[in-house]
Amino acid sequence: MTLLHTTRVRRRRLGVAAAAAGLLATLLTAGPAAAIPDPGDTPVQKKEISSGQEAQARAAIESGAIPGVDEIVHSSNIEHLANVPKDALQGTNSDIAFQGKYAYAGNYDGFRIFDISNPRSPKTVSQVLCPGSQNDISVSGNLLFLSTDSSRSDNSCNSTSQSATVKSSWEGMKVFDISDKRNPKYVAAVETACGSHTHTLVPDRKNIYVYVSSYSPNAAYPDCLPPHDGISVIKVPKKAPQQAKVVGFPVLFPGEGPDGGGNPGGPVNPGVSKTTGCHDITVLPSKDLAAGACMGDGILFSIKDPERPKVIDVVQDNVNFAFWHSATFNQGANKVVFTDELGGGGAPTCNAQIGPNRGADGIYDLTGKGDKRKLVFRSYFKIDRHQANTENCVAHNGSIIPVKGRDLMVQAWYQGGISVWDFTNSSQPKEIGFFERGPLSVDQSIGGGSWSAYYYNGYIYSNDMAKGLDVLKINDRRTDPAKKVRLSELNVQTQPDYFDDDDDDHGDDDD
C-alpha cells in the first residue's frame, strides 16, 4: 500500500490553445454534442497522439496549468489517506458496493473484497477471478451480484470471449454467496437480453428484484434483437438464490417500428445517442421512485409494483447531452442529477473547447406530485479544472453526501479526478473540494482515472480504473455532519433514506 499526501494548488484553468487539440477534435466540435456510437464505460486503452499534442501537454505541466504525470493534487479540505494498487486482477477497475466493514470493488477480471475497518489501511480479504466486462457490482445480505456485458462462451468464471452472433453465447447476471468473505461461492446465473451493462437492486420482503440495464441490439445477435426498448427484471428469492429468473421485460419506450420508441438520435438529433435501452437506473425505494439514464433519454418512473415499473416523465436534451449515463436523487427526492458520458468515457472532454455544458451533469428539479411529477431542467455542473489532451475526462459515478438541509455530492470524473460539489441551489451549483492525479502519460492517451467515487460512513472511496482503490477524507464544516450518518449497507444505485439509519452505528472513525 502506498500513502501519498502531495498537495499543490493548481491553476484552475488550462488555456484554450493547450486544450483545443483534443484527441477527438474532429468529433467533438462546437454545436450539438457528438459521441462515439453507443458509448458507455470503455476499458483502459492506449492511443498515440501527435507530437504537437504531446508538446502542448508538456507545456501545460511546466506552466502549472495541470499536474505532472501521476502527481497528486487536492483542495485543502481533502486528505488522501490510502491507495491500494491492483493486485491479482489486472483488468479495468469499475464500480463499488459497501457492507459493514467491507468494500466490494468490481474489475473487468472479477471482483475484490476489502476490509475497510481501518480506512487508512484497507486490507484485501479475497479476489475472485471471473472475467466479463464490466462487472458492475452490488451486495445484499449474503448475496453479491455481478453484471456481465461481454459475450462469453458460457456462464462460468472460466469462460472465454465468443461472438454474440453465436446462439450459445452468454451474457447476463451472476450471483455469489459471500457469507464467507474469504471464499465467495458462485451460486446462480441468469441470462438477459443484450447482457447486463449495469444493474440495480430493488429490495422486497422475500425477494430481491434486479433491474438490468443493457443496450445496443443487433439483428445479427440472436439474444439481443431489436427493438430493445426496456429493461430485464430478475426475481431472486432471498432464501433460494439459485432459483433466480427473469420475470419480465417492461417496455419503457413504447413506439412503432422495428426500433421501438425513445430518442431517435442522428440524423434527427445529431450527436445524440439513439435510445436502444438504458445505461443505468437509480431507485429510491423509500419514495417508490426510480430515475433512468437511457442513452438519449432521462426518465422518471414509479416502482410501487417492482415487477411493473411505470414511467412518469421522459426528458431529452438534444443540445448538450450526448449519452445519458447515470442518475442520482437528492435526499429530499425533489431533484435528480443526470450525467452525460460524452465521448463514451474515452475522450478528453474537460477542456475549453468542449466547454462547461457538455460532458457535464444536468440538474433537474422534480415538480408536482404523484404520477404527475415532472423533471424540470435548472442548470449544468462541470469541473472547471481543464485536463490535458491525453486525459479521458467526463461526468461519471457519484453519490450523495448525507447532510440535512443541503444537497451535496461526491463524483468521479475519470482522469478529471474527484469533485465534491453543492447543488442546494439547483441553478447555481458549485464545487467545494477536489482530488486528482496528473495524466497517466503525455505522449499517448491512456484510459484511467476514477470510475466511481462514493461517500460511505465518513470517508470517500474511489475505484481508479488504473491506480486502484483510493480512500479520502473531507474535513469541511459543510460536510462534517455527514460523519454521524452510519449505514450497514450501501449500493449507491439503490439509494437509501440516509436519515432513517442515524442510529445504525457500525464503528467509529479511526481518527
Side-chain angles (χ1 to χ4, degrees):
M1 183 178 66
T2 304
L3 295 178
L4 298 169
H5 297 282
T6 304
T7 305
R8 176 167 66 81
V9 178
R10 63 170 288 188
R11 301 179 186 179
R12 295 189 63 81
R13 291 190 178 276
L14 179 60
V16 175
L23 293 178
L24 298 185
T26 59
L27 181 61
L28 304 175
T29 54
I36 296 172
D38 298 318
D41 313 319
T42 54
V44 173
Q45 300 176 15
K46 295 183 180 181
K47 300 177 183 177
E48 297 301 321
I49 65 172
S50 70
S51 57
Q53 290 168 337
E54 178 182 348
Q56 288 168 343
R58 294 187 185 279
I61 292 172
E62 291 174 2
S63 69
I66 63 172
V69 173
D70 280 346
E71 180 184 4
I72 289 178
V73 297
H74 52 81
S75 54
S76 60
N77 58 354
I78 297 283
E79 292 181 71
H80 187 204
L81 303 183
N83 171 262
V84 186
K86 292 181 184 179
D87 189 35
L89 305 178
Q90 288 295 306
T92 299
N93 284 328
S94 57
D95 211 7
I96 321 173
F98 304 91
Q99 194 178 65
K101 66 177 185 178
Y102 297 102
Y104 303 82
N107 179 286
Y108 275 48
D109 286 340
F111 63 92
R112 188 174 182 180
I113 302 177
F114 293 97
D115 181 337
I116 55 171
S117 53
N118 179 0
R120 293 184 180 274
S121 184
K123 304 296 184 185
T124 298
V125 177
S126 60
Q127 300 181 71
V128 175
L129 179 65
C130 196
S133 67
Q134 58 187 6
N135 279 340
D136 190 54
I137 194 168
S138 57
V139 292
S140 180
N142 287 327
L143 299 178
L144 180 147
F145 299 83
L146 207 62
S147 285
T148 300
D149 192 36
S150 57
S151 187
R152 311 294 297 180
S153 56
D154 55 54
N155 63 14
S156 75
C157 286
N158 297 316
S159 67
T160 57
S161 295
Q162 182 170 286
S163 172
T165 61
V166 179
K167 175 61 180 174
S168 62
S169 295
W170 185 92
E171 298 180 69
M173 290 297 308
K174 295 170 181 168
V175 185
F176 291 78
D177 184 325
I178 52 170
S179 51
D180 181 355
K181 305 294 187 293
R182 297 186 179 278
N183 188 27
K185 303 290 187 182
Y186 186 11
V187 296
V190 181
E191 186 171 15
T192 55
C194 301
S196 174
H197 194 73
T198 65
H199 68 270
T200 305
L201 302 189
V202 184
D204 195 36
R205 291 182 179 180
K206 295 182 179 180
N207 306 293
I208 301 167
Y209 288 96
V210 184
Y211 289 171
V212 176
S213 296
S214 55
Y215 51 90
S216 297
N218 190 307
Y221 301 162
D223 295 322
C224 183
L225 297 172
H228 184 74
D229 46 13
I231 58 174
S232 296
V233 178
I234 298 174
K235 184 178 181 179
V236 185
K238 293 180 181 179
K239 294 184 177 180
Q242 68 277 7
Q243 296 177 11
K245 64 179 181 180
V246 174
V247 293
F249 187 85
V251 173
L252 304 179
F253 304 97
E256 300 296 330
D259 296 325
N263 198 316
V268 177
N269 296 316
V272 177
S273 292
K274 177 182 178 180
T275 298
T276 60
C278 290
H279 179 279
D280 211 342
I281 293 170
T282 292
V283 297
L284 191 58
S286 64
K287 301 293 190 296
D288 289 326
L289 284 176
C294 302
M295 305 182 72
D297 298 82
I299 64 174
L300 180 73
F301 51 99
S302 167
I303 57 169
K304 289 181 181 178
D305 181 347
E307 287 191 27
R308 299 169 183 83
K310 177 183 177 181
V311 175
I312 296 173
D313 195 24
V314 179
V315 291
Q316 296 179 356
D317 179 346
N318 294 317
V319 175
N320 288 312
F321 260 50
F323 188 87
W324 295 68
H325 175 275
S326 55
T328 303
F329 289 96
N330 70 331
Q331 179 59 35
N334 58 9
K335 299 174 188 175
V336 180
V337 174
F338 289 101
T339 66
D340 172 28
E341 196 183 45
L342 174 67
T349 70
C350 298
N351 53 42
Q353 180 193 16
I354 301 303
N357 297 336
R358 299 160 64 198
D361 296 321
I363 304 167
Y364 286 74
D365 282 352
L366 270 177
T367 63
K369 296 181 179 180
D371 289 352
K372 296 186 181 298
R373 280 174 282 201
K374 298 291 183 182
L375 291 160
V376 180
F377 174 76
R378 294 302 185 207
S379 66
Y380 298 105
F381 171 76
K382 187 176 181 180
I383 58 173
D384 65 356
R385 294 179 310 284
H386 291 157
Q387 308 298 307
N389 50 30
T390 58
E391 294 181 276
N392 58 308
C393 175
V394 74
H396 217 243
N397 293 351
S399 75
I400 292 296
I401 299 177
V403 175
K404 287 184 178 179
R406 302 190 74 94
D407 294 324
L408 304 173
M409 188 169 174
V410 58
Q411 186 172 353
W413 293 81
Y414 283 138
Q415 286 193 70
I418 298 162
S419 177
V420 179
W421 60 289
D422 186 329
F423 62 104
T424 307
N425 183 337
S426 304
S427 300
Q428 294 183 331
K430 59 183 179 181
E431 185 175 76
I432 62 175
F434 74 92
F435 169 92
E436 70 166 295
R437 290 181 170 88
L440 291 168
S441 172
V442 294
D443 58 16
Q444 58 184 338
S445 173
I446 304 175
S450 178
W451 178 293
S452 299
Y454 297 147
Y455 187 94
Y456 176 70
N457 290 353
Y459 297 88
I460 295 169
Y461 296 87
S462 165
N463 210 13
D464 188 290
M465 294 165 65
K467 294 295 183 179
L469 182 75
D470 286 306
V471 185
L472 312 177
K473 190 171 186 180
I474 181 167
N475 298 295
D476 190 290
R477 59 178 177 77
R478 292 163 290 192
T479 61
D480 284 348
K483 296 176 182 178
K484 299 178 182 179
V485 178
R486 313 305 268 190
L487 298 179
S488 58
E489 189 172 276
L490 177 62
N491 300 295
V492 168
Q493 287 73 34
T494 306
Q495 201 168 315
D497 187 339
Y498 289 93
F499 301 111
D500 276 354
D501 292 336
D502 279 352
D503 297 326
D504 189 10
D505 196 335
H506 290 268
D508 298 323
D509 291 351
D510 66 307
D511 54 352

